[in-house]
Amino acid sequence: MISANAALHGSYDYSEVARSVLIAIAASYGALNLTGRVTTASGRVRLPWLSGGAVAMGIGIWAMHLKAMLAFQLPVSVAYHWPTTLVAFLVAILASAIALFFASRQKMGRLEAVTGSIFMGAGIAGLHYLLMAAMRLPATIGYSPLLVACSILLAVLFSLIALLLAFGLREETRWTIQRRAGSAIVMGTAISAMHYTGMAAASFFPSSPPDLSHAVNVSPVANNGIAIVTLIVILAAVMTSSVDRRASVEIQRLNKDLERRVAERTRQLEAVNQKLRNEIAERERAEEGVRRSEDRLRLVIDTLPALVWSKLPDGSADFLNQRFREYTGLSVDEGLGWGWMRKAFHPEDQTEEEWRAAFAAGQPFEKEARMRRADGAYRWFMHRAVPLRDELGNVVKWYGITTDIEERKRSETALQEARDRLAHVTRTHAMGELAAAIAHEINQPLTAIVTNANFSLRQLISSSPNLAELQTAITEIVNDGTRASAVISRIRALLMKGALSRVQVDINEIVEDVISLLRNELTRNRVNLRTELASNLPRVLGDSVQLQQVLINLIMNAIEAIRFSAEHSGRLVIRSGRSADGVWVQVQDYGPGIEPELAELVFEPFFTTKVEGIGMGLSISRSIIESHGGQLSLVSSRQGALFEFVLTVATND
Amino acid sequence: MTETASIVFVVDDDPSVRRAIKRLVESVGLHVELFGSAAEFMDSSRPNVVSCLVLDIRLPGISGLHFQRELIKAKNEIPTIFITAHGDIPMTVRAMKAGAVEFLTKPFRDQDLLDAIQVALERDRARRQRYADVALLRERLDSLTPREREVLPLVVSGLLNKQVAAEIGTTEGTIKVHRSQLMRKMGADSLPELVRIAEKVGISGSKQ
């Protein structure tokens, strides 16, 4: 044993120091590399990689320390207690595991970094001082507390740096190897610095020889062997991890690519889905809108106050609105097909052939027919139909409405009856007038006859009869008798009753007859009558009594107009002539005329400009002429009123 | 009867009827003049003799009834006999009210017409006589002095001479003279006759 009063002076084998630093750098590189690998590993492969990495790193750190210890040469022989050394080796592995664990996590906060580095630093420092404790030499070891603290602090500090570097360099990039190499140099140097600081904290004092049980001497060959084995282990770990990581990175890249593509595809699908969902929603909305609009239309069609229907091109119904069904009392099925006619129409109006023909014609049409109401009453209806065509013009559907025209029908009938009645009344009235005219016409010659006859009698019983005058008187009696007879025969012709005859008549003859009948009327009203009758007119088919009635009416109107005219020229012209249509007759007065806006009104029943007129004359006259197939109209003229009627020429002449 | 001095005017639009009437009426010795219308009749210059009018109701231009009213308006009081082919009661009433002598329906009995004409002429003659009498009396009235003219109504009203004298402020004797002059000038033989004459000339028995 050496005395304790003088510290043993140690020296360093610098080549060994260099080798220890190299190992430290190599170990650091291995650690950084493994961190990246452990980070990328996950699940079941993570634990083997973590343990393997920890072992490799632990070996590196442990070997570096051992190497550095062996580089320290003391003047005494140094042996190592191998169980302690083994413990130190385990501590190194543990520290490495902790470091790898922290550095390979997904995230590393400040707390994790500090905690990790404290554990790691503690481990490394522990390793160092355990190895110091494993030394067996004939000296005691004294420690400078300051430098020990310093060394521990450095260990923690370098651990922090190492963790941060390792964490930052986990990802494989283009410059990873260079940056890792730089970092490994920094770390290796730092580890070495920590170690040699620790070594500097120790002082060796000579003492009794150590207990050399379980101690081994490390020969230079063993020393170098440790270094070589360590380097091989680290190199193997690095290469394995590197290759594996590349594969892993490739897989990961493929995975990521796949994931990206899957994500891309998913996104696309999602977009398509969304679009589809939108479209579906849109369609649903549209369908809802259509349904609502259909409901509304149906409501409108069902409630509007008309009977509405649609039919197929052949006329069979495929829709009858609610009003139609309610009115007829038919069910939906009963009215379809031809039920609308066979089950609702009046038997007399079930003219199916006519209806089929109308539908087949394909043109809009209207037809009147009576329909039975639900209570059994029949009313007149107007059925109007319009076709819907396709682009080729074929009828694809008929649409129509059926309107109640009962009131109109009734008033039409009533009007017709009133007209007939009035026509009768007017005719009767005209007869009364005529009777007065007849009485006068007959009485004039009769008066002359009676008076002359009385004169003759007086002459015959006279003592001195005036024979010449007697002869004149009797001659006049004969003349007046003939005249009366002519009047009678004309009147008989005029009054002949019976069915309307259609015989061939000479219109000029009728004009002459009427003038003759009205001679007195004309004279009395100082009418200046002129006739311009065309000769050789063809005969027309007609009823002479009715035609006379028309002419009497026109001439009487003219006489009245003349009477009310201011200038009293009294002119009346009756003309006849031939036209393409047939034969025409004109009656023109030169009275005040008829205002153009009244031109059509004058033919209306009950329209009159006379104070005592009943407004039927022209109406009846027109219907008479129309019943002859002709036309009666008011022709515009410069003066007075000009009425003209045209009659067709008799064809079977 | 001075028949030759009378004229029967006939207005009818039917020449045959006109001629027959003329023949008949002339056969009883009356003078007849014919017209086709009322206007023709009005336009003619007619002698101022006893006459009557046979008028057809139905005439060209204005009707017979209308013409009758025109004549009355013109103070022409010629007696009128209407003849018509188809007279009705209202028409007849109107004509008679307006003073028609007769309303005959054609064809009429000859005697009815002749009788009606006689009545009409007689009526015209009487009318003319009345007018002639009044004209004479008016002449006599005009011959009175103003004083006599003043006394006449008082006498006619039945006052005594004394009262008349008091009325006009003169003596009874003077009135007596006026009165006898009055009676003489007016051609009255008695007071009642004077009263009748005074009435004819439109002097009533009261103070004028």
Side-chain angles (χ1 to χ4, degrees):
Chain A
M1 284 303 296
I2 303 163
S3 92
N5 54 357
L8 291 172
H9 186 73
S11 69
Y12 284 100
D13 175 345
Y14 289 104
S15 70
E16 285 291 328
V17 169
R19 264 175 269 178
S20 76
V21 171
L22 193 65
I23 289 172
I25 291 172
S28 294
Y29 187 84
L32 290 170
N33 211 333
L34 284 165
T35 310
R37 181 62 195 89
V38 172
T39 304
T40 56
S42 60
R44 263 189 284 166
V45 293
R46 187 175 164 86
L47 189 62
W49 273 110
L50 190 63
S51 339
V55 171
M57 261 180 78
I59 290 170
I61 294 167
W62 176 78
M64 175 268 157
H65 276 270
L66 194 61
K67 197 75 185 160
M69 301 278 281
L70 292 174
F72 187 66
Q73 301 194 335
L74 286 165
V76 294
S77 95
V78 176
Y80 287 90
H81 183 244
W82 65 266
T84 310
T85 307
L86 193 66
V87 169
F89 176 66
L90 292 175
V91 167
I93 290 174
L94 191 67
S96 297
I98 289 165
L100 274 176
F101 176 74
F102 277 103
S104 65
R105 291 180 65 171
Q106 291 297 318
K107 279 193 285 183
M108 189 171 70
R110 233 174 259 168
L111 184 66
E112 285 94 339
V114 171
T115 313
S117 53
I118 286 170
F119 275 98
M120 194 183 164
I124 291 169
L127 160 74
H128 178 76
Y129 289 104
L130 275 170
L131 281 177
M132 294 290 278
M135 288 175 88
R136 295 290 182 270
L137 70 175
T140 55
I141 302 169
Y143 291 97
S144 155
L146 184 67
L147 284 174
V148 168
C150 234
S151 74
I152 294 171
L153 202 65
L154 276 172
V156 172
L157 193 65
F158 292 140
S159 295
L160 183 61
I161 291 167
L163 276 177
L164 292 173
L165 284 170
F167 190 80
L169 291 169
R170 294 185 311 184
E171 298 300 316
E172 202 78 5
T173 62
R174 190 196 277 190
W175 300 100
T176 302
I177 293 173
Q178 287 83 346
R179 283 171 64 200
R180 275 187 188 153
S183 300
I185 292 166
V186 171
M187 275 174 72
T189 313
I191 291 166
S192 305
M194 176 265 155
H195 174 80
Y196 291 105
T197 308
M199 291 296 283
S203 305
F204 298 90
F205 301 99
S207 67
S208 58
D211 173 16
L212 285 177
S213 61
H214 302 299
V216 288
N217 228 336
V218 181
S219 67
V221 176
N223 181 4
N224 283 332
I226 289 169
I228 289 164
V229 168
T230 303
L231 284 173
I232 287 170
V233 166
I234 291 171
L235 190 64
V238 165
M239 285 186 69
T240 311
S241 90
S242 191
V243 168
D244 185 74
R245 184 163 54 194
R246 258 176 226 189
S248 162
V249 162
E250 182 62 17
I251 287 166
Q252 211 170 10
R253 199 181 59 74
L254 286 172
N255 270 340
K256 275 191 177 167
D257 191 42
L258 195 62
E259 275 171 22
R260 188 180 54 72
R261 281 161 67 180
V262 166
E264 177 77 9
R265 192 81 191 113
T266 309
R267 219 169 29 248
Q268 282 175 1
L269 282 171
E270 184 58 34
V272 170
N273 273 345
Q274 186 59 43
K275 208 171 150 194
L276 277 173
R277 271 196 297 276
N278 288 348
E279 273 176 16
I280 288 167
E282 184 65 29
R283 184 158 299 178
E284 277 173 354
R285 264 200 303 279
E287 276 172 4
E288 176 65 22
V290 167
R291 202 161 37 243
R292 231 181 273 162
S293 134
E294 268 179 7
D295 287 350
R296 205 165 44 234
L297 273 178
R298 184 162 291 263
L299 187 69
V300 168
I301 289 170
D302 274 343
T303 47
L304 56 83
L307 312 185
V308 181
W309 43 263
S310 70
K311 293 188 169 88
L312 297 176
D314 72 333
S316 55
D318 63 350
F319 169 76
L320 303 169
N321 79 339
Q322 201 180 333
R323 290 237 174 205
F324 195 108
R325 300 194 303 270
E326 280 172 5
Y327 181 83
T328 55
L330 295 178
S331 71
V332 174
D333 290 339
E334 281 175 322
L336 297 184
W338 283 83
W340 55 272
M341 168 184 281
R342 294 173 189 155
K343 292 179 185 154
F345 275 28
H346 191 282
E348 287 173 21
D349 298 338
Q350 289 189 18
T351 52
E352 193 169 323
E353 289 311 306
E354 281 179 29
W355 280 83
R356 282 190 186 275
F359 283 116
Q363 293 300 319
F365 66 89
E366 3 180 282
K367 287 175 85 70
E368 292 177 0
R370 281 160 289 178
M371 283 214 309
R372 194 183 54 236
R373 206 163 51 192
D375 64 4
Y378 283 99
R379 286 174 77 82
W380 276 101
F381 278 85
M382 171 71 85
H383 306 266
R384 290 191 180 82
V386 283
L388 174 74
R389 297 171 188 283
D390 62 14
E391 57 274 17
L392 296 173
N394 299 317
V395 174
V396 290
K397 203 102 173 213
W398 285 93
Y399 292 103
I401 58 168
T402 291
T403 343
D404 190 331
I405 53 163
E406 181 70 19
E407 294 306 316
R408 201 187 78 196
K409 271 281 187 189
R410 273 191 200 161
S411 55
E412 270 175 14
T413 311
L415 183 63
Q416 190 53 48
E417 280 169 4
R419 255 184 209 166
D420 291 350
R421 215 162 39 237
L422 273 159
H424 174 73
V425 166
T426 313
R427 206 166 286 138
T428 315
H429 180 76
M431 284 303 175
E433 291 266 297
L434 215 55
I438 290 162
H440 194 262
E441 289 298 305
I442 300 287
N443 269 329
Q444 291 293 75
L446 281 181
T447 305
I449 288 167
V450 170
T451 309
N452 276 323
N454 280 323
F455 166 77
S456 303
L457 284 173
R458 282 171 188 271
Q459 290 300 309
L460 287 175
I461 58 172
S462 156
S463 51
S464 53
N466 183 341
L467 288 180
E469 196 61 31
L470 187 62
Q471 190 183 354
T472 314
I474 292 169
T475 309
E476 288 202 5
I477 287 170
V478 173
N479 287 346
D480 282 328
T482 314
R483 186 177 132 207
S485 163
V487 171
I488 297 274
S489 48
R490 269 206 316 276
I491 288 162
R492 184 182 292 142
L494 194 64
L495 293 183
M496 261 218 296
K497 278 267 185 180
L500 296 181
S501 57
R502 286 286 184 277
V503 293
Q504 295 183 11
V505 293
D506 182 350
I507 199 73
N508 285 348
E509 235 170 63
I510 292 175
V511 172
E512 300 278 15
D513 281 352
V514 169
I515 291 169
S516 169
L517 274 172
L518 296 176
R519 190 184 58 82
N520 197 261
E521 207 64 42
L522 293 165
T523 325
R524 200 158 62 86
N525 288 290
R526 293 186 182 174
V527 172
N528 174 10
L529 173 69
R530 194 172 79 232
T531 52
E532 299 172 8
L533 305 179
S535 56
N536 297 324
L537 279 180
R539 286 166 176 271
V540 291
L541 271 183
D543 183 305
S544 52
V545 176
Q546 285 198 337
L547 294 177
Q548 280 173 344
Q549 200 179 335
V550 171
L551 270 169
I552 288 170
N553 189 274
L554 293 179
I555 293 169
M556 290 305 284
N557 282 349
I559 290 172
E560 285 212 46
I562 288 165
R563 219 160 57 195
F564 285 106
S565 77
E567 62 175 277
H568 287 291
S569 71
R571 270 198 296 158
L572 170 65
V573 184
I574 301 174
R575 305 181 190 91
S576 70
R578 176 83 205 256
S579 75
D581 301 339
V583 171
W584 53 261
V585 176
Q586 290 183 343
V587 176
Q588 181 169 20
D589 67 61
Y590 290 82
I594 294 167
E595 281 151 17
E597 57 264 32
L598 301 180
E600 261 320 292
L601 277 180
V602 296
F603 294 106
E604 292 284 306
F606 311 121
F607 180 86
T608 184
T609 55
K610 299 179 208 162
V611 180
E612 288 173 345
I614 58 166
M616 290 304 292
L618 283 172
S619 168
I620 292 168
S621 296
R622 177 172 260 192
S623 58
I624 288 175
I625 293 298
E626 281 174 357
S627 78
H628 280 75
Q631 286 161 352
L632 169 63
S633 51
L634 173 65
V635 182
S636 65
S637 59
R638 276 188 300 137
Q639 207 190 340
L642 170 55
F643 286 88
E644 180 189 71
F645 64 83
V646 184
L647 295 168
T648 46
V649 175
T651 45
N652 57 346
D653 201 338
Chain B
M1 283 206 353
T2 52
E3 300 294 353
T4 47
S6 313
I7 302 179
V8 176
F9 299 106
V10 177
V11 181
D12 194 308
D13 63 331
D14 193 318
S16 182
V17 173
R18 282 204 300 269
R19 282 200 302 276
I21 291 173
K22 181 180 165 75
R23 202 167 282 130
L24 176 70
V25 176
E26 281 184 343
S27 74
V28 295
L30 290 169
H31 186 63
V32 178
E33 283 191 23
L34 301 178
F35 303 95
S37 69
E40 272 180 47
F41 172 74
M42 289 304 283
D43 292 344
S44 66
S45 56
R46 302 176 299 278
N48 187 17
V49 294
V50 172
S51 56
C52 72
L53 178 62
V54 177
L55 186 60
D56 190 7
I57 294 264
R58 189 163 179 166
L59 287 173
I62 60 171
S63 77
L65 284 172
H66 188 196
F67 181 51
Q68 182 192 23
R69 282 197 298 277
E70 300 258 295
L71 287 175
I72 293 164
K73 239 188 267 173
K75 300 271 184 207
N76 188 334
E77 295 175 47
I78 180 166
T80 306
I81 299 153
F82 282 104
I83 50 172
T84 177
H86 51 88
D88 53 15
I89 292 168
M91 209 188 268
T92 316
V93 169
R94 260 163 63 199
M96 297 307 285
K97 268 192 173 175
V101 176
E102 191 56 272
F103 196 98
L104 298 174
T105 303
K106 290 183 188 174
F108 40 80
R109 286 177 54 219
D110 60 341
Q111 200 53 56
D112 288 347
L113 178 66
L114 293 176
D115 287 350
I117 287 171
Q118 286 305 331
V119 171
L121 289 176
E122 193 50 53
R123 196 182 281 180
D124 193 47
R125 192 171 294 118
R127 180 179 64 96
R128 284 174 184 279
Q129 187 57 57
R130 206 161 53 244
Y131 278 135
D133 289 352
V134 172
L136 179 70
L137 291 175
R138 283 210 166 274
E139 229 172 77
R140 288 178 185 167
L141 191 64
D142 289 344
S143 68
L144 299 183
T145 63
R147 201 55 164 182
E148 288 162 2
R149 185 77 180 76
E150 198 178 352
V151 169
L152 177 61
L154 300 174
V155 171
V156 169
S157 67
L159 293 182
L160 299 174
N161 289 342
K162 188 166 62 184
Q163 290 167 309
V164 173
E167 189 75 22
I168 58 172
T170 185
T171 60
E172 196 181 348
T174 313
I175 294 302
K176 225 181 228 174
V177 174
H178 284 320
R179 189 175 180 144
S180 63
Q181 283 296 323
L182 259 177
M183 299 287 274
R184 191 182 54 79
K185 282 185 180 175
M186 293 305 287
D189 298 329
S190 61
L191 181 63
E193 202 179 347
L194 182 69
V195 171
R196 227 172 14 254
I197 290 168
E199 272 175 1
K200 278 183 182 167
V201 295
I203 293 167
S204 60
S206 64
K207 205 179 166 187
Q208 278 185 327

